[in-house]
Each structure stands twice: as C-alpha cells, then as structure tokens.
Amino acid sequence: MTQPLALTRFNKASTRPMSQAGFSLIEIMVVVVIIGILAGAVALQVTDYTRDARKSRARSDISVIVKALDTYRMKHGRYPNNSEGLDPLSLKQSSQVDPWGNPYHYNKPGQRDAPYEVMTLGADAREGGEGVNADIYSWNLQDERE
C-alpha cells in the first residue's frame, strides 16, 4: 500500500519520494550516448593531429638530411652517389626512416635541376597521392608548408 502524500518522505534535492531516488535506465542511456559521441569527436581530432604530426616530422627529417648532405659536401667536395645513398651520413637510425616506417629515398641528380633530392612517398609508400599519402621532396619543403 502506498502512504498518503503527507506521510511520504522526500529527498531534499528532488521532488521524488525517497523510495524512487536514483536514475532511470533512460537517463543513464542518454548520458552514455552523450559520452560516446564526445569520445568519438575527440578520437577524430587526435587522428587528424597524428596525421599532421607525421607529415611535419617527415619534413623535419628531410631538412636534417639536407643539412647533413651539405655538410658531407663541404667535407668531401661532393655529394654521395646513388649507390652510397644516405649511408655515409652520420644520421641517427630514426632519421633514416620516415614516420610510416619506410626508408627515405635519395637520388642524385634530383628533379628540377637540383644536385640531389631526398624524398618520402608518404603513408601509402607509392608515388603520387594526396594528403597523408602525398610525396614530400627536399626541393618542395617550402611549398608544402604554404
């Protein structure tokens, strides 16, 4: 039997009787759905930042390699040939591999009348591509940043 309204005790924070205090299943489900939507949005943002960070690291690595090649030329009077590749340079092992786990490519002579080129083929490891799959060359580092 239910008590008359005058005798029912109420929770001070709510107008519900104490015997009905708590959250309903619907309220809990709504909160879980909202948290899921927020978590999905955050995950998408983190993925975008990770892609951008890998491209930035590749550009940075190529800049370091270019400086090492110029230093090599000052010491030896020439750039390494294609068969030597980047091996004669004193680079850390991590600087010889792009952010996607593939080795950087070195070609002498390079395209566009450059004495050499250092490049990565991007995430897909194939020529061409856009976005994260785009190739990054030592001769277009400035173009990539713009």
Side-chain angles (χ1 to χ4, degrees):
M1 286 220 214
T2 61
Q3 297 178 348
L5 192 57
L7 298 177
T8 305
R9 291 179 19 188
F10 287 91
N11 183 345
K12 292 180 183 180
S14 168
T15 57
R16 290 188 201 169
M18 288 282 267
S19 61
Q20 294 179 358
F23 297 106
S24 70
L25 181 59
I26 299 285
E27 291 169 328
I28 292 173
M29 287 176 53
V30 167
V31 169
V32 169
V33 166
I34 290 171
I35 290 172
I37 290 170
L38 291 173
V42 168
L44 289 174
Q45 288 295 325
V46 169
T47 301
D48 289 343
Y49 288 132
T50 302
R51 288 182 191 149
D52 292 343
R54 285 185 177 173
K55 286 179 67 175
S56 292
R57 188 188 131 209
R59 284 192 291 272
S60 176
D61 285 352
I62 290 174
S63 286
V64 168
I65 294 169
V66 164
K67 288 179 178 117
L69 284 164
D70 292 340
T71 302
Y72 182 89
R73 183 176 179 267
M74 288 192 311
K75 284 183 180 178
H76 302 282
R78 66 178 182 81
Y79 292 110
N81 59 38
N82 283 333
S83 63
E84 292 172 310
L86 299 174
D87 291 337
L89 307 178
S90 54
L91 296 172
K92 293 180 182 176
Q93 189 65 26
S94 62
S95 296
Q96 295 181 20
V97 177
D98 71 16
W100 301 280
N102 303 308
Y104 286 104
H105 300 276
Y106 171 75
N107 297 315
K108 181 186 177 216
Q111 298 178 32
R112 300 192 180 186
D113 298 323
Y116 63 85
E117 70 183 1
V118 180
M119 64 178 280
T120 178
L121 298 174
D124 63 355
R126 292 185 292 190
E127 287 192 38
E130 295 179 9
V132 73
N133 295 327
D135 303 342
I136 302 172
Y137 291 88
S138 55
W139 45 262
N140 74 347
L141 288 177
Q142 294 301 327
D143 297 341
E144 285 280 323
R145 290 187 180 129
E146 295 172 358

